Amino acid sequence: MTLLQAILLGAVQGLTEFLPVSSSGHLAIVSALMDVPGDVTFTVVVHLATLLAVLIAFRQDVVRLIRGALGLLLDGFKTRDQFNRRLVVMLVLSTLPLVIGALLEDAVDRFFGRTLYVGLGLLITSFILYAAETTHGDGTKTAQDAPFSDAVRIGLAQLFALLPGVSRSGTTISAGLFCGLRRDFAVRYAFLLSIPAVAGSFVFKLPDMIRAGTLSASPLPYLAGFCSALVCGLLAIRLVRLLMKKDAFVYFAYYCAAVGLLTVAVSMIKG
């Protein structure tokens, strides 16, 4: 992998991890266009960069969540209807289905590894985004009054993101809107939920990275990819929060539909 390829792929990961357009799908498409073979070490490194981007962008929320978690532990796991404590419980409930996802990830990768499936996944993402934007207005619920069952629903919806081309952030934001969460809280919740999701992905892929042993051989491309993913991830988070305030979520649906149709068409032509 050249330095330029690493920077471009890092930028793709950083932008698409948080924009509701599927990072795995775009990485597969761009890697295929540049004829770059899969590299588990690079995948781990750029995921670590996007994790850092969330922690930086939501550092105040993270501090409050830590305080809320400590309060739960010291108070016998009683939420007492406090916002931060309830938010901690919701995030835990939404994260639990990821255990199932971790067990299924390799099987999904084997059966749906073709670019054609990436295109179909992008079409699914487009439908989900469009339905959430056009059929559900701005809800009213936050962690203060949302039932914990909503957190479970959002966590289960996250399993769809195992399919290539299906956006994790798009799925979780849309699920939040379907549950009646307030629009700004749905976005915030999805980003906070990405912390355990991305951290879990990093932990599960770390043994593969160590076995590959490529990081020590040529660290510069990985460092470039990390920096590119971090900067673009911060920009993507800011962009999504801005666009959600302007109710422009539906444009991501149009984008996913266009890229999905093009990807399916090219895949079928190539056979």
Side-chain angles (χ1 to χ4, degrees):
M1 182 185 302
T2 67
L3 192 62
L4 179 59
Q5 288 173 334
I7 293 173
L8 290 175
L9 288 174
V12 170
Q13 168 65 27
L15 288 172
T16 57
E17 179 67 36
F18 303 113
L19 296 178
V21 295
S22 175
S23 61
S24 61
H26 279 74
L27 274 178
I29 293 170
V30 176
S31 296
L33 290 173
M34 295 195 300
D35 196 25
V36 177
D39 186 337
V40 65
T41 302
F42 186 81
T43 300
V44 171
V45 168
V46 293
H47 271 80
L48 183 60
T50 52
L51 173 61
L52 181 58
V54 179
L55 293 175
I56 292 173
F58 291 89
R59 55 192 179 278
Q60 294 179 343
D61 291 278
V62 171
V63 170
R64 284 192 288 265
L65 285 173
I66 293 173
R67 291 174 179 169
L70 289 175
L72 278 171
L73 290 172
L74 296 174
D75 201 18
F77 296 97
K78 296 176 182 177
T79 65
R80 300 190 186 279
D81 286 333
Q82 294 182 19
F83 183 93
N84 291 324
R85 292 188 185 188
R86 286 184 58 84
L87 183 55
V88 168
V89 176
M90 289 181 68
L91 290 170
V92 170
L93 291 174
S94 293
T95 301
L96 288 177
L98 290 179
V99 177
I100 302 173
L103 298 175
L104 296 176
E105 186 174 8
D106 288 340
V108 171
D109 287 343
R110 284 197 299 270
F111 285 105
F112 298 99
R114 294 174 53 196
T115 308
L116 172 63
Y117 293 121
V118 173
L120 294 174
L122 285 167
L123 292 177
I124 293 173
T125 298
S126 174
F127 174 78
I128 293 172
L129 296 176
Y130 186 82
E133 181 67 26
T134 57
T135 64
H136 287 70
D138 195 2
T140 59
K141 293 188 288 187
T142 67
Q144 193 68 46
D145 50 9
F148 291 139
S149 58
D150 283 349
V152 176
R153 294 188 185 99
I154 293 171
L156 292 173
Q158 211 177 187
L159 291 178
F160 282 102
L162 287 174
L163 298 174
V166 178
S167 168
R168 189 207 59 79
S169 62
T171 301
T172 51
I173 292 173
S174 297
L177 295 178
F178 285 131
C179 289
L181 298 185
R182 204 172 64 197
R183 183 178 293 270
D184 61 334
F185 179 69
V187 174
R188 177 183 166 198
Y189 188 81
F191 283 142
L192 292 174
L193 187 57
S194 74
I195 295 175
V198 177
S201 176
F202 171 76
V203 171
F204 276 103
K205 292 182 184 299
L206 188 58
D208 294 331
M209 183 189 79
I210 295 173
R211 283 193 294 269
T214 53
L215 184 58
S216 59
S218 50
L220 189 57
Y222 300 102
L223 179 60
F226 178 92
C227 294
S228 179
L230 174 61
V231 172
C232 290
L234 290 169
L235 292 174
I237 291 172
R238 187 175 182 85
L239 178 61
V240 172
R241 297 176 81 172
L242 177 64
L243 291 177
M244 285 296 289
K245 292 179 181 178
K246 296 183 177 180
D247 299 344
F249 203 42
V250 71
Y251 294 111
F252 290 115
Y254 298 148
Y255 170 81
C256 287
V259 176
L261 287 172
L262 180 61
T263 303
V264 169
V266 172
S267 299
M268 294 182 70
I269 292 172
K270 289 185 175 181

